[in-house]
Amino acid sequence: MVAARRKEMRAKFVIVSGSASQKLAMATAQRLGAEIGQCSVTRFPDTEVNVQLNEPVRERRVFIVQSSCPPVDQHIMEVLAIADACRRAAASSITWIAPYFGYARSDKRRGGRTPIMGRLVADFAERAGIDHLIALDLHSQQVEGFFHIPVENLSAVPAIADALKSHLEPESVIVSPDTGRVKMASAYASRMGCPVAVLHKERLNGRKTAVSRIVGEVRARPCVIIDDMISTGGTINNAVEALIRVGAAGNFIVAASHGVFTPEARKNLNHPAIRKIIVTDSIPVSSDDWPQVKIVSLAPILAGAIRRSIGGESMTDP
Ligand code: R5P
């Protein structure tokens, strides 16, 4: 029975992944009672990407699960190569499931003579044959507009909010570390019955930010700082410092959809006032030697999205 179901599933669709998201792709496939597709991604001696699909994809729907996390360009190139291989092998459709979509912060020009990399990645993806994108908590909604293909921007907020509940203290405030995250903070707040406070963040350069103002009541209250991503951890570190300066209770929870965690992040987040950091597995993170970190798996969300996609169902209806 199980074998027959697996065979039927295999005929309909296949989930493949590059080197960025193998564990998550496998967990997603498992939830669907499917096996991961046979696709090898290696490098030629000169580091060029070498993709080989080791099973037919003709007339099958392919779901490429791959975050474009660091090393970003390398992972993007893998997605493009896999998509191109699938298109040339007559897949019936190619969906890129990007649990984390890199370059999303490059969604407008920073000034004269600068590129819009998010747009460029969208162009490349379509050119490679990707005809559907499923992403999670894209940095900004305008990234959807970079694509001409259907884009589903799913959210990890409900899953993270569930994980947060057991750590929440009475009187907690959800804090948005900048004005760009107010909508996300409100989504958390309405799920958790908490008020919202907003910090005004100024970016001094790619690595440094500063908080200039705080809107909302935080004095003597426990704070949950939310964000879409933690990269260097500078934003969170500044937020914690600013909140302490105005008298917030000194034990913070940090929750973000994407733990990018550049090498300096650990130092920035190793603040004595931060007691918990909750992120998803959109980017592989090892929490073994980092007890503050709790990881929420996206596998149920991705499996649900694939199920709905195959069944022709809405992604947004309950
Ligand atoms: C910025 O607008 C984002 O939402 C994040 O706040 C930011 O990218 C986090 O980066 P970092 O951890 O390097 O401060």
Side-chain angles (χ1 to χ4, degrees):
M1 187 68 181
V2 175
R5 181 166 154 70
R6 286 206 164 182
K7 201 170 162 202
E8 188 195 327
M9 301 266 277
R10 271 194 100 75
K12 275 196 188 165
F13 74 92
V14 58
I15 297 171
V16 294
S17 85
S19 62
S21 308
Q22 282 181 347
K23 214 168 142 197
L24 179 56
M26 251 188 259
T28 303
Q30 234 166 29
R31 289 204 151 244
L32 292 164
E35 277 161 23
I36 197 92
Q38 298 302 310
C39 168
S40 91
V41 179
T42 55
R43 294 273 155 185
F44 288 110
D46 63 356
T47 77
E48 286 175 352
V49 68
N50 178 19
V51 161
Q52 173 70 59
L53 299 171
N54 294 314
E55 66 179 65
V57 294
R58 183 174 300 277
E59 291 308 321
R60 291 167 82 194
R61 297 191 58 178
V62 180
F63 294 88
I64 306 169
V65 177
Q66 168 106 326
S67 282
S68 40
C69 53
V72 180
D73 301 349
Q74 201 170 302
H75 288 147
I76 289 173
M77 202 49 97
E78 287 181 12
V79 172
L80 301 179
I82 297 170
D84 191 65
C86 292
R87 182 173 59 85
R88 292 175 194 280
S92 63
S93 75
I94 305 168
T95 300
W96 177 13
I97 299 188
Y100 168 72
F101 184 85
Y103 282 124
R105 285 182 289 181
S106 178
D107 56 2
K108 53 186 162 313
R109 294 178 78 204
R110 279 180 291 105
R113 301 181 296 280
T114 59
I116 302 179
M117 291 303 294
R119 170 63 206 247
L120 199 56
V121 174
D123 285 348
F124 279 150
E126 288 186 28
R127 191 79 190 140
I130 288 163
D131 51 30
H132 200 143
L133 175 77
I134 298 178
L136 257 117
D137 290 324
L138 281 169
H139 175 68
S140 68
Q141 272 185 319
Q142 69 210 59
V143 172
E144 291 184 35
F146 294 166
F147 290 86
H148 301 93
I149 56 176
V151 175
E152 326 285 348
N153 183 16
L154 307 180
S155 180
V157 169
I160 299 176
D162 279 350
L164 264 171
K165 277 181 190 148
S166 60
H167 301 280
L168 208 64
E169 289 182 68
E171 303 288 296
S172 289
V173 184
I174 306 291
V175 179
S176 171
D178 54 39
T179 47
R181 240 20 72 193
V182 174
K183 204 171 155 200
M184 182 177 250
S186 305
Y188 275 104
S190 69
R191 289 189 163 261
M192 309 183 73
C194 300
V196 172
V198 182
L199 309 187
H200 282 258
K201 175 178 95 175
E202 287 169 53
R203 185 159 283 286
L204 307 175
N205 57 45
R207 291 183 182 266
K208 266 191 148 347
T209 58
V211 175
S212 52
R213 256 183 315 139
I214 300 178
V215 179
E217 192 44 66
V218 294
R219 186 172 296 277
R221 300 183 76 149
C223 295
V224 179
I225 308 170
I226 62 91
D227 211 340
D228 60 325
M229 67 171 86
I230 304 172
S231 184
T232 63
T235 299
I236 297 296
N237 188 290
N238 284 343
V240 167
E241 291 289 342
L243 289 163
I244 290 174
R245 278 199 297 276
V246 296
N251 54 343
F252 295 83
I253 302 181
V254 174
S257 306
H258 310 295
V260 183
F261 297 144
T262 60
E264 65 262 65
R266 187 90 179 239
K267 188 169 146 265
N268 280 329
L269 296 170
N270 193 18
H271 193 293
I274 299 177
R275 68 179 165 101
K276 200 93 222 149
I277 300 165
I278 304 181
V279 291
T280 73
D281 55 358
S282 66
I283 298 168
V285 180
S286 167
S287 58
D288 297 349
D289 62 340
W290 201 357
Q292 287 96 331
V293 171
K294 178 172 175 155
I295 296 167
V296 175
S297 180
L298 292 176
I301 299 177
L302 302 190
I306 292 175
R307 194 178 287 120
R308 284 172 182 234
S309 179
I310 294 165
E313 291 167 41
S314 158
M315 293 277 171
T316 44
D317 287 352

